[in-house]
Amino acid sequence: MSDISNGQERKEQSKLDLAEEKVRKVEIIISTVLRVGVLTSLTLVVVGLIVSFVHNSGSLVNSSVREKFYISRAYHFPHTLGAMFSGLSHFDGTSIIVLGLLLLVLTPVVRVAVSIFTFLYQKDGKFMIITGYVLAVLILSFFLGKTGG
Amino acid sequence: MSVLVFSLVLFAICVLAGVLGSLLGIGGGLVVVPVLTLLFHVDIRLAIGASIVSVIATSSGAAAAYVRERITNLRIGMFLEIATTTGAITGAYIAGLVSGRVLYVLFGVILGYSSLQMFRKRHGHPPLEVSTDKWANSLVLHSSYYDVAEGKEIPYKVTNTKVGLVLMYVAGAVSGLLGIGSGALKVPAMDLAMRLPMKVSSATSNFMIGVTAAASAGVYFARGDIDPYIAAPVASGVLIGALVGSKLLPKLRAESVRLLFVVVLLIISIQMLYKGIL
């Protein structure tokens, strides 16, 4: 093999190594964001469930699912931020669950937002644009209010 | 059935859904929706709300491990999210224009075909060593992962980036149109077209599905479709299942994951054909 192609190969290899190292840092940061988000929301959901069962032990343990909430939609639970915060202020179990679920939903969005900053820090222009676009579409879809799973 | 019993049974089923979803990169909705509607007779809207939560839970719970263990190809995931998110928005907007039944039949056929192809290529589908794909080269999408089952580092090159983008756009649009998780389309697209190793396809699909689901979750939440007493056992069960599944995937042989995927894909395909024809 000629020297020229060897040199080129080495250059390619060092380019790959550098990229690999950069990716590693982003991986650790993103994994941490996901782990913290997931564990916090899991804790809140479980605490909220326990609090609700302790507070309403009679109705939740004894009453039938059918007559309680699941079939009829007459049962009300907080599904606005205002209702959730007012529930949280008096340690309402349902509102703690809702806060946990909300955190869970926000975790992937935070993950996208954080990766933009890591790419910015690493001066990776292409991936800054890519993740920036994804975050923009995500925010847009929140406002448009129409997307599937 | 009391609420306590309901919560405990649902939690246990969702642990299994989380394991399956995190292994295959398809989210937990596949199990959660039928269980809630058929077994517990829960309103379909509340079931879909819970399913959205389960997709995000599987995705984030498993991705935390897959990303750290370098099974997920982050750059490919983020790059393809361009197409999935754009597709999801378009899908939601053209939903009224196309017949749901036609779509169910169409995607039932596509998924059935993908399942067959993935089965046929279960042997002799080694990772690429050379790629002339310009986008993959310039965005440095090639990578490698350490396969615990085989006990070695497996390098792979990526190809057909543009085809992958188109397929991801379609996957996003389908999820917007039919309101189903699109991991079932994402995995075959990465495996068959872009030539990613099976475990990498599954882990990367897993990484991406949370973002599309998060986009719609706000709407479901505001509409009151996410019932805390249904979503809480679902979210906690699926999360724990995903944590278990993500410990399991590295140890499984790629062929086993592939075969499991083929079977599940075939079931989804039959489900879709059934909905479209009947």
Side-chain angles (χ1 to χ4, degrees), chain B:
Chain B
M1 186 187 288
S2 82
V3 178
L4 185 64
V5 174
F6 169 83
S7 300
L8 292 174
V9 174
L10 186 58
F11 172 83
I13 295 174
C14 285
V15 172
L16 293 177
V19 173
L20 193 69
S22 60
L23 282 181
L24 303 181
I26 54 172
L30 176 71
V31 177
V32 171
V33 173
V35 163
L36 282 174
T37 53
L38 302 177
L39 195 63
F40 295 114
H41 307 287
V42 165
D43 187 303
I44 180 73
R45 294 171 65 100
L46 299 182
I48 291 175
S51 154
I52 297 275
V53 169
S54 84
V55 171
I56 300 173
T58 329
S59 172
S60 304
Y66 293 154
V67 168
R68 193 169 290 254
E69 281 155 31
R70 312 188 48 233
I71 306 177
T72 307
N73 188 320
L74 268 191
R75 294 173 79 86
I76 292 184
M78 290 179 174
F79 173 66
L80 293 177
E81 274 168 5
I82 295 179
T84 53
T85 48
T86 312
I89 285 198
T90 353
Y93 271 85
I94 56 172
L97 304 175
V98 264
S99 145
R101 296 182 79 117
V102 173
L103 281 168
Y104 275 121
V105 173
L106 188 64
F107 288 105
V109 171
I110 291 176
L111 293 183
Y113 176 75
S114 310
S115 171
L116 186 72
Q117 284 299 316
M118 287 188 68
F119 181 71
R120 283 183 53 207
K121 292 190 176 163
R122 67 194 181 283
H123 307 299
H125 197 57
L128 288 181
E129 284 169 19
V130 186
S131 170
T132 51
D133 190 288
K134 275 186 192 153
W135 288 16
N137 288 332
S138 98
L139 291 168
V140 203
L141 300 182
H142 316 298
S143 185
S144 68
Y145 79 104
Y146 183 77
D147 195 306
V148 178
E150 293 192 36
K152 63 177 182 194
E153 187 82 10
I154 297 183
Y156 56 89
K157 299 270 182 182
V158 183
T159 188
N160 288 327
T161 319
K162 284 175 204 160
V163 178
L165 265 186
V166 172
L167 291 173
M168 291 301 156
Y169 177 81
V170 174
V174 172
S175 75
L177 280 166
L178 303 178
I180 55 148
S182 51
L185 268 174
K186 289 188 176 100
V187 176
M190 284 187 275
D191 179 88
L192 296 170
M194 298 178 73
R195 296 294 300 271
L196 296 184
M198 183 61 205
K199 289 188 193 178
V200 178
S201 301
S202 160
T204 307
S205 166
N206 207 351
F207 179 75
M208 292 194 284
I209 53 177
V211 164
T212 3
S216 49
V219 182
Y220 286 94
F221 174 71
R223 239 182 3 215
D225 286 355
I226 298 180
D227 185 321
Y229 286 96
I230 300 175
V234 168
S236 44
V238 163
L239 270 178
I240 290 167
L243 297 177
V244 174
S246 62
K247 293 272 174 288
L248 212 62
L249 181 75
K251 294 181 193 133
L252 289 178
R253 290 173 52 80
E255 289 96 288
S256 319
V257 181
R258 197 183 189 79
L259 275 181
L260 185 62
F261 189 87
V262 164
V263 172
V264 171
L265 198 58
L266 204 60
I267 297 173
I268 307 176
S269 156
I270 293 167
Q271 264 183 356
M272 290 185 113
L273 286 173
Y274 183 82
K275 273 188 195 166
I277 293 164
L278 290 174

Side-chain angles (χ1 to χ4, degrees), chain A residues 24 30-32 38 52 60-61 63-65 70-71 75 77 79 94 104 111 124 126-127 133 141 145-148, chain B residues 1-3 6 41 56 64 68 70 78 81 86 92 138 175 207 211 215-216 219 221-222 224 226 228-230:
Chain A
R24 191 69 204 135
I30 285 178
S31 167
T32 309
V38 159
S52 334
L60 286 178
V61 178
S63 75
S64 140
V65 170
Y70 304 109
I71 316 304
Y75 159 69
F77 50 83
H79 58 90
T94 319
L104 184 66
R111 184 269 281 171
D124 190 334
K126 284 176 194 160
F127 269 85
Y133 173 83
S141 69
K146 285 176 89 177
T147 42
Chain B
M1 186 187 288
S2 82
V3 178
F6 169 83
H41 307 287
I56 300 173
R68 193 169 290 254
R70 312 188 48 233
M78 290 179 174
E81 274 168 5
T86 312
S138 98
S175 75
F207 179 75
V211 164
S216 49
V219 182
F221 174 71
I226 298 180
Y229 286 96
I230 300 175

Side-chain angles (χ1 to χ4, degrees), chain A:
Chain A
M1 201 170 276
S2 73
D3 281 355
I4 298 165
S5 75
N6 259 339
Q8 258 176 353
E9 253 172 44
R10 233 176 289 138
K11 213 171 125 192
E12 284 281 298
Q13 193 52 48
S14 67
K15 198 176 137 195
L16 269 177
D17 287 346
L18 193 69
E20 199 107 304
E21 202 179 298
K22 279 184 173 180
V23 168
R24 191 69 204 135
K25 279 185 191 152
V26 184
E27 280 169 347
I28 298 287
I29 293 169
I30 285 178
S31 167
T32 309
V33 168
L34 292 172
R35 190 175 285 184
V36 170
V38 159
L39 292 180
T40 316
S41 58
L42 181 63
T43 311
L44 283 169
V45 165
V46 172
V47 168
L49 263 181
I50 294 171
V51 170
S52 334
F53 278 110
V54 171
H55 273 188
N56 318 300
S57 52
S59 66
L60 286 178
V61 178
N62 300 324
S63 75
S64 140
V65 170
R66 198 168 280 275
E67 68 199 38
K68 198 67 186 172
F69 346 90
Y70 304 109
I71 316 304
S72 79
R73 300 196 44 160
Y75 159 69
H76 292 289
F77 50 83
H79 58 90
T80 59
L81 288 181
M84 186 192 74
F85 284 119
S86 102
L88 284 177
S89 67
H90 48 83
F91 206 60
D92 164 43
T94 319
S95 300
I96 301 175
I97 299 175
V98 172
L99 179 67
L101 294 172
L102 214 56
L103 262 180
L104 184 66
V105 167
L106 284 177
T107 301
V109 184
V110 173
R111 184 269 281 171
V112 175
V114 166
S115 37
I116 298 179
F117 286 104
T118 55
F119 288 127
L120 177 75
Y121 179 70
Q122 297 180 346
K123 299 196 178 65
D124 190 334
K126 284 176 194 160
F127 269 85
M128 246 176 67
I129 296 170
I130 288 171
T131 41
Y133 173 83
V134 172
L135 185 67
V137 174
L138 263 180
I139 294 170
L140 181 71
S141 69
F142 255 97
F143 285 110
L144 293 176
K146 285 176 89 177
T147 42

